[in-house]
Amino acid sequence: MTNKLYDTSLSLLTDLYQVTMAYGYWKSGTSEKEAVFNLYFRKNPFAGGFTVACGLTNVIGYIDNFGLSKKDLRYLETLTGSDGQPMFEAAFIEYLANLKLTLDVEAIPEGTVVFPNEPLVRVKGPILQCQLLETPLLNLINFESLIATKAARLRLVAGNDTLLEFGLRRAQGVDGGMTASRAAYIGGCDATSNVLAGKLYDIPIRGTHAHSWVMSFENEQTAFNTYADVLPNNVTLLVDTYDTLQGVRHAIETGKRLREQGHKLSGIRLDSGDLAYLSIEARKLLDEAGFDDTSIVASNDLDETIINSLKQQGAKIDVWGVGTKLVTAYDQPALGGVYKLAALRNDGGNTSGLAWDYKMKLSEQAVKTSTPGIQQVRRFRDERGFLADMIYDQSQTHGADENHNYGSIDVTMIDPLDFTKRRRFAADQDYEDLLVPVFRNGECVYDKPNIHDIRARVHTQLAQLHPGVKRFVNPHSYPVGLERSLHELKTELILKLREG
Amino acid sequence: MTNKLYDTSLSLLTDLYQVTMAYGYWKSGTSEKEAVFNLYFRKNPFAGGFTVACGLTNVIGYIDNFGLSKKDLRYLETLTGSDGQPMFEAAFIEYLANLKLTLDVEAIPEGTVVFPNEPLVRVKGPILQCQLLETPLLNLINFESLIATKAARLRLVAGNDTLLEFGLRRAQGVDGGMTASRAAYIGGCDATSNVLAGKLYDIPIRGTHAHSWVMSFENEQTAFNTYADVLPNNVTLLVDTYDTLQGVRHAIETGKRLREQGHKLSGIRLDSGDLAYLSIEARKLLDEAGFDDTSIVASNDLDETIINSLKQQGAKIDVWGVGTKLVTAYDQPALGGVYKLAALRNDGGNTSGLAWDYKMKLSEQAVKTSTPGIQQVRRFRDERGFLADMIYDQSQTHGADENHNYGSIDVTMIDPLDFTKRRRFAADQDYEDLLVPVFRNGECVYDKPNIHDIRARVHTQLAQLHPGVKRFVNPHSYPVGLERSLHELKTELILKLREG
């Protein structure tokens, strides 16, 4: 892993059934059959109108470092079936020992806004290899995209205020904290409290003191003065250990001492109580004492709804510290990404004359029916921003040239859940194809951007979205459709599968 | 970490304010002052009546491996205050470089049922060291206890059915998956799909195949037959790729072939649709064909509420596969554990004559007011099970002997939120003190149980709880009180702090 956190081989970080299927492919002689899988989700999280793609850097690290260790192999040898016999033949273990990934991977760059049904990652190559990656890719993309999206929503309500991530203590494990700090920064936080994330990911870190600091002195004033003496250039005082407004008055006294010494009181922090009332009263006290450049930091179970409400109530808060609700994505702690087989190379066994056999999973619910094809996403745009995304099949050109430039042909996209909803774009409409090459034959060909550039991308991407799509309550649904010939291919395949 | 997942030093896995406070203690000459911190939570998760303590093994690993690396120290040197000057003096970095933890730690063993306000971990020693551990201890205990509790609830509804954890793909990061697999097994799952967790934590692993296996063959029957040929001793077939009941019929055909070959069809798996209806119909089809020993596995966003409902509807399901809702603790993805200063060694500066100065944080909400003291939890019990837990202060004996055996004195415990609610226990009431020594002067003195023993402990502990406490809807509140003299000490301190 390029996130530098893990030492042990993570190549077994997968579900057992990926390994038993791999064994099945190997035993039945189909392990090298070329397949295409798409990783996508079906619904934006938080009842919102968009999602921020994140996690690709860790996916690249995972694939780059893939390779079963001797211990991994020895462990697989110990597994048995219900008869107590080894689950896998020795020759299969040997096959895994020599396995090098030779996949082609395309992906949408981190920091891009994405929508349901769009392939965030597309994996092409031997079906056995594709299958082994299903679980780790889902794990890495689901969580980081979820948290980056949550942070982007917080940034939308925070506007130009400072947004800090304080979640480590209640994150879901060590990596739940580490990865969340990374994704939260990418999504729009300005800094984290997590020192290790600061060190490993080059994220700015911020912090002040806890109640225990105040409690460890005979009184609050002494605690504040001592803190200011020790760290005069970084003084934000937590004022609610005993009585909040009394705490503000003590902070002001310390601020006066700091001034005399040529320093300043950077801020005070509120961590409990009625943040609207207390921040307004604290602001008055600070302003009356001439501390109008001292900022007010607030924390305590904040999320985008509460911040929005506090702003509407006129709360005087400049810095928002967000923890649990951000790093666990409290109101929806999982993104339901899936990874579905979409095509298998036609080895001559079918009569369609096409290079690929298209594959899909049926479901009683249309939303759960997958889309076949070697998918790419074309995002149409004009000078005002993004207009719509069209998912198309790169294996067929349908009259377009090999780059899928449609020349003089207008293109039509069709809503995947309502085929009567269609949009047509002129042949010369400006666009960008979102998936870019990441691996070619197992070699990384992608120039990874740094974390600050990824974060900047989120900002510029969100600026291209219509405000209605970014609304929290009943957001406008950004148009995503299937290119007409892909829609037709999918319809035909559904009808055929339902019959057969 | 003894969980073997991490290589890099995790000693900076803490909030920056722990480091700035450490600097403050060091600069102000109070870093070695002996302190006591308690780690506890205020409310059982999931609106339930109990919590399962978990995470101590990882805490021990963290403390055992504590020590800042050269890279850690170099990173701290790069941090600057608002004036661009280094945040920390070189002598402090030197102090950290030589820092060895010398703490005494007591904790409640993993797998114990615990309740709000009880210290799960108690840390005693130099205040600087105690402070640095706050964030990692909270991170490790909060998450594992949350997931172990969720799994225990699932086990309560599953009864003797098999319970499998399948959550890795939607867990909160790599460790969100790994740690969840461990805690889920401890809480009551029988196995996980997570191969790496199987390898590193000695957890049984289970798995079958995915929809992609079926989709990769020309038809479902061929896919099933091929799978059975390859892994005849481990055949559970996923039947819902195209049409569920048709899938069951195909599985039965494969089952017949298996029989002829001297093997058996272990199970079928349902992953979508109306699980009550489909399992009943599938059971009929299987039984009619003589496959009454073939089990029915169900998965698809299951949690304890849905399993309960399916059972009430007479669903014929023998094996429950639980994923997202378990590993993310979906309906409450964080346990709100806190870590509070409770006492500071009296260095002669007070006139109480006591060895300790008692410390607490006030709050407008009584539930958020911490409890002072060197706390231990005494669990009273009789032959029917657990009766009540009493939190008492180990630094004072109040007429008891040094082991807090009250001899002929009856003991009274008082509800922390309603002082009129009291319980009295006879001097000879049977009891167990829950916190046990884990570290003495930085050395681990605890004989860590293996994961299977921890899991067995959950089972026997839950059997000691009154059924009303285990109820999901409005559970009976298990009695937890403060020993009378601790209650009096706390009351006195609150009144003094409110005055001053």
Side-chain angles (χ1 to χ4, degrees):
Chain A
M1 304 282 292
T2 53
N3 76 8
K4 303 173 208 153
L5 191 57
Y6 306 103
D7 175 46
T8 185
S9 160
L10 292 185
S11 302
L12 288 186
L13 185 78
T14 196
D15 290 308
L16 178 60
Y17 78 2
Q18 314 292 4
V19 187
T20 56
M21 282 190 282
Y23 184 59
Y25 294 128
W26 178 81
K27 276 284 279 184
S28 62
T30 54
S31 58
E32 308 308 308
K33 207 170 164 104
E34 192 176 9
V36 176
F37 283 76
N38 295 312
L39 188 157
Y40 63 98
F41 59 90
R42 299 182 182 118
K43 222 175 143 212
N44 288 310
F46 319 119
F50 67 90
T51 300
V52 174
C54 196
L56 182 58
T57 300
N58 281 328
V59 164
I60 293 171
Y62 187 87
I63 296 175
D64 260 343
N65 290 289
F66 185 88
L68 280 82
S69 70
K70 285 201 177 127
K71 279 190 189 169
D72 291 340
L73 298 165
R74 216 165 301 142
Y75 175 67
L76 293 179
E77 283 168 357
T78 66
L79 300 178
T80 53
S82 58
D83 59 352
Q85 293 300 306
M87 194 178 280
F88 307 120
E89 282 176 27
F92 176 66
I93 304 286
E94 185 66 22
Y95 173 88
L96 291 179
N98 296 314
L99 181 63
K100 297 265 171 291
L101 298 185
T102 58
L103 298 163
D104 288 351
V105 178
E106 331 282 319
I108 297 181
E110 287 184 290
T112 307
V113 293
V114 291
F115 303 95
N117 302 309
E118 298 180 352
L120 306 192
V121 183
R122 188 181 91 195
V123 179
K124 187 167 85 169
I127 191 167
L128 181 150
Q129 297 182 26
C130 293
Q131 200 76 67
L132 288 176
L133 291 187
E134 173 172 7
T135 311
L137 262 52
L138 284 169
N139 177 282
L140 295 168
I141 297 282
N142 273 331
F143 181 50
E144 284 204 66
S145 298
L146 182 75
I147 302 302
T149 306
K150 190 70 170 172
R153 290 166 60 87
L154 284 159
R155 169 52 65 204
L156 287 174
V157 293
N160 292 321
D161 296 348
T162 299
L163 192 59
L164 307 176
E165 177 267 305
F166 285 166
L168 180 56
R169 66 188 54 201
R170 292 185 190 155
Q172 297 209 339
V174 170
D175 185 49
M178 292 297 295
T179 304
S181 292
R182 177 181 189 269
Y185 179 69
I186 286 173
C189 286
D190 293 297
T192 178
S193 64
N194 181 341
V195 184
L196 190 58
K199 177 189 153 194
L200 294 183
Y201 301 145
D202 189 26
I203 305 172
I205 58 174
R206 287 279 293 273
T208 56
H209 67 79
H211 297 117
S212 54
W213 175 268
V214 176
M215 291 153 71
S216 78
F217 289 84
E218 55 270 38
N219 60 54
E220 194 176 48
Q221 191 69 65
T222 309
F224 286 175
N225 288 345
T226 308
Y227 196 81
D229 289 346
V230 170
L231 283 149
N233 294 311
N234 192 22
V235 184
T236 296
L237 299 169
L238 176 62
V239 294
D240 73 332
T241 304
Y242 304 119
D243 175 297
T244 303
L245 294 179
Q246 195 57 38
V248 176
R249 289 184 194 99
H250 291 149
I252 287 169
E253 288 309 307
T254 301
K256 289 177 183 165
R257 283 177 84 242
L258 275 165
R259 269 202 184 145
E260 286 164 14
Q261 296 157 8
H263 299 293
K264 61 174 277 199
L265 177 64
S266 299
I268 62 160
R269 178 158 76 97
L270 308 171
D271 190 40
S272 61
D274 182 330
L275 296 176
Y277 168 77
L278 291 171
S279 67
I280 291 166
E281 294 303 308
R283 186 76 270 161
K284 276 188 210 157
L285 292 171
L286 287 166
D287 290 352
E288 280 163 19
F291 289 92
D292 44 328
D293 62 344
T294 294
S295 63
I296 298 180
V297 186
S299 50
N300 191 19
D301 271 344
L302 298 177
D303 64 12
E304 61 270 43
T305 310
I306 295 173
I307 292 176
N308 204 25
S309 160
L310 284 168
K311 287 196 162 233
Q312 284 175 354
Q313 295 168 68
K316 299 291 187 189
I317 294 166
D318 315 290
V319 181
W320 305 90
V322 185
T324 314
K325 299 282 170 78
L326 167 56
V327 300
T328 65
Y330 203 87
D331 52 332
Q332 188 191 319
L335 181 67
V338 295
Y339 181 86
K340 294 291 175 195
L341 177 64
L344 272 178
R345 176 71 73 179
N346 178 359
D347 51 10
N350 81 18
T351 54
S352 66
L354 297 173
W356 295 90
D357 289 336
Y358 295 92
K359 294 288 178 179
M360 59 187 300
K361 183 200 171 311
L362 287 188
S363 172
E364 304 292 308
Q365 301 158 265
V367 69
K368 283 197 162 187
T369 297
S370 64
T371 297
I374 324 298
Q375 297 167 25
Q376 172 62 282
V377 181
R378 180 156 296 181
R379 177 161 292 169
F380 294 105
R381 59 193 180 189
D382 66 13
E383 63 292 347
R384 288 162 308 170
F386 302 151
L387 298 172
D389 290 1
M390 179 180 79
I391 300 168
Y392 69 94
D393 174 23
Q394 278 194 309
S395 72
Q396 297 179 63
T397 52
H398 307 289
D401 68 17
E402 71 266 26
N403 296 319
H404 290 263
N405 288 316
Y406 286 77
S408 61
I409 316 167
D410 287 0
V411 291
T412 302
M413 55 178 250
I414 299 173
D415 186 300
L417 296 181
D418 177 358
F419 76 98
T420 64
K421 279 168 79 175
R422 296 167 182 226
R423 274 174 191 251
R424 178 179 285 253
F425 288 97
D428 62 349
Q429 184 69 53
D430 187 29
Y431 71 78
E432 178 186 21
D433 278 353
L434 298 185
L435 287 114
V436 299
V438 179
F439 284 89
R440 278 292 168 273
N441 195 32
E443 292 297 317
C444 185
V445 296
Y446 181 64
D447 190 13
K448 279 182 287 184
N450 71 46
I451 193 170
H452 312 293
D453 291 343
I454 298 170
R455 181 171 183 272
R457 181 173 175 88
V458 176
H459 186 76
T460 55
Q461 287 267 311
L462 285 172
Q464 306 293 310
L465 281 188
H466 187 280
V469 176
K470 293 181 275 193
R471 193 170 60 205
F472 290 168
V473 180
N474 293 330
H476 177 66
S477 182
Y478 178 85
V480 177
L482 303 184
E483 186 273 329
R484 178 200 287 267
S485 62
L486 179 58
H487 164 78
E488 286 164 359
L489 187 149
K490 179 176 177 176
T491 307
E492 197 182 322
L493 194 53
I494 293 175
L495 295 173
K496 202 177 115 197
L497 287 168
R498 289 227 197 277
E499 275 169 29
Chain B
M1 304 281 293
T2 52
N3 75 8
K4 304 174 206 153
L5 190 58
Y6 305 104
D7 174 46
T8 184
S9 160
L10 291 184
S11 302
L12 288 187
L13 185 78
T14 196
D15 291 307
L16 179 60
Y17 78 3
Q18 314 291 5
V19 187
T20 56
M21 282 191 282
Y23 184 59
Y25 295 127
W26 177 82
K27 276 284 279 185
S28 61
T30 55
S31 59
E32 309 308 310
K33 205 168 166 107
E34 193 178 8
V36 176
F37 283 75
N38 295 312
L39 187 157
Y40 63 98
F41 60 89
R42 298 181 182 119
K43 223 175 143 214
N44 288 311
F46 318 120
F50 68 91
T51 300
V52 174
C54 196
L56 182 59
T57 299
N58 280 329
V59 164
I60 293 171
Y62 187 88
I63 295 175
D64 260 343
N65 290 289
F66 185 89
L68 280 82
S69 70
K70 285 203 176 125
K71 278 188 188 170
D72 289 341
L73 298 165
R74 216 164 303 141
Y75 175 67
L76 293 179
E77 283 169 356
T78 67
L79 301 177
T80 53
S82 58
D83 59 351
Q85 293 299 305
M87 195 179 278
F88 306 120
E89 282 176 27
F92 176 66
I93 304 286
E94 184 67 22
Y95 173 88
L96 292 179
N98 297 315
L99 181 64
K100 297 264 173 290
L101 297 185
T102 58
L103 297 164
D104 288 352
V105 178
E106 332 281 319
I108 298 181
E110 287 183 289
T112 308
V113 293
V114 291
F115 303 94
N117 301 309
E118 298 180 351
L120 307 193
V121 183
R122 188 181 91 194
V123 180
K124 187 168 87 169
I127 190 166
L128 180 150
Q129 297 182 24
C130 294
Q131 200 76 67
L132 287 176
L133 291 187
E134 173 172 6
T135 311
L137 262 53
L138 284 170
N139 176 282
L140 296 168
I141 297 282
N142 273 331
F143 181 51
E144 285 204 65
S145 299
L146 182 75
I147 302 302
T149 306
K150 190 70 171 172
R153 291 165 60 86
L154 284 159
R155 168 53 64 204
L156 287 174
V157 293
N160 292 322
D161 296 347
T162 299
L163 191 60
L164 307 176
E165 177 267 304
F166 285 166
L168 178 58
R169 66 188 55 200
R170 293 187 189 152
Q172 297 210 341
V174 170
D175 185 49
M178 292 297 296
T179 304
S181 293
R182 177 182 190 269
Y185 179 69
I186 287 174
C189 286
D190 293 297
T192 178
S193 64
N194 180 342
V195 185
L196 190 59
K199 177 189 152 195
L200 295 183
Y201 301 145
D202 189 25
I203 305 172
I205 60 174
R206 287 279 294 271
T208 57
H209 67 80
H211 297 117
S212 54
W213 175 268
V214 176
M215 291 153 70
S216 78
F217 288 84
E218 53 272 38
N219 61 54
E220 195 175 47
Q221 192 68 66
T222 309
F224 286 176
N225 288 344
T226 308
Y227 195 81
D229 289 345
V230 171
L231 283 149
N233 293 311
N234 191 23
V235 183
T236 295
L237 298 169
L238 176 61
V239 294
D240 72 333
T241 303
Y242 303 119
D243 174 297
T244 303
L245 294 179
Q246 195 56 38
V248 176
R249 290 184 194 99
H250 291 150
I252 288 169
E253 288 310 307
T254 302
K256 291 176 183 165
R257 284 178 85 240
L258 276 165
R259 269 200 185 147
E260 287 163 16
Q261 296 156 8
H263 299 293
K264 61 174 276 198
L265 177 64
S266 299
I268 61 159
R269 179 158 76 97
L270 308 172
D271 189 42
S272 60
D274 183 330
L275 297 176
Y277 168 77
L278 291 171
S279 66
I280 291 166
E281 294 303 309
R283 186 76 270 161
K284 277 187 212 158
L285 292 171
L286 288 166
D287 290 353
E288 281 162 17
F291 289 92
D292 44 325
D293 62 344
T294 294
S295 63
I296 298 180
V297 186
S299 51
N300 191 20
D301 271 345
L302 298 177
D303 64 12
E304 62 270 44
T305 310
I306 294 173
I307 293 176
N308 204 26
S309 160
L310 285 168
K311 287 193 161 237
Q312 284 175 354
Q313 295 169 67
K316 301 289 187 190
I317 295 166
D318 316 289
V319 181
W320 306 90
V322 185
T324 314
K325 298 283 170 76
L326 166 56
V327 300
T328 66
Y330 203 87
D331 54 330
Q332 188 191 318
L335 181 67
V338 295
Y339 181 86
K340 294 290 175 193
L341 177 65
L344 272 178
R345 177 71 72 180
N346 177 359
D347 51 10
N350 82 17
T351 54
S352 66
L354 297 173
W356 295 91
D357 290 335
Y358 295 93
K359 294 289 179 178
M360 59 189 298
K361 185 202 169 312
L362 288 188
S363 172
E364 304 291 309
Q365 302 158 263
V367 68
K368 282 198 162 185
T369 297
S370 63
T371 298
I374 324 299
Q375 297 168 26
Q376 173 61 282
V377 180
R378 179 157 294 184
R379 177 162 292 170
F380 293 105
R381 59 193 180 189
D382 65 15
E383 63 291 349
R384 288 163 308 170
F386 301 151
L387 299 172
D389 290 0
M390 179 180 80
I391 301 168
Y392 69 93
D393 174 22
Q394 279 194 308
S395 71
Q396 297 178 64
T397 52
H398 308 288
D401 68 17
E402 71 266 25
N403 296 319
H404 291 263
N405 288 316
Y406 286 77
S408 60
I409 316 168
D410 287 359
V411 290
T412 303
M413 55 177 249
I414 300 174
D415 186 298
L417 297 181
D418 177 357
F419 76 98
T420 64
K421 280 168 78 174
R422 295 168 183 225
R423 273 171 193 254
R424 177 179 286 252
F425 288 97
D428 62 349
Q429 183 69 53
D430 186 30
Y431 71 78
E432 178 187 21
D433 279 353
L434 298 184
L435 287 115
V436 299
V438 179
F439 284 90
R440 279 290 169 274
N441 196 30
E443 293 297 317
C444 184
V445 296
Y446 181 64
D447 190 13
K448 278 181 288 184
N450 71 45
I451 193 169
H452 312 292
D453 291 343
I454 298 170
R455 181 169 182 274
R457 182 173 175 87
V458 175
H459 187 74
T460 55
Q461 286 267 312
L462 285 172
Q464 305 293 310
L465 281 188
H466 188 279
V469 175
K470 292 182 276 194
R471 193 170 59 205
F472 290 169
V473 180
N474 293 329
H476 177 65
S477 183
Y478 178 86
V480 177
L482 303 184
E483 186 272 330
R484 179 201 286 269
S485 62
L486 179 58
H487 165 77
E488 286 165 359
L489 187 149
K490 180 177 178 175
T491 307
E492 197 182 320
L493 193 54
I494 294 175
L495 295 174
K496 201 175 116 196
L497 286 168
R498 289 227 197 276
E499 276 170 25

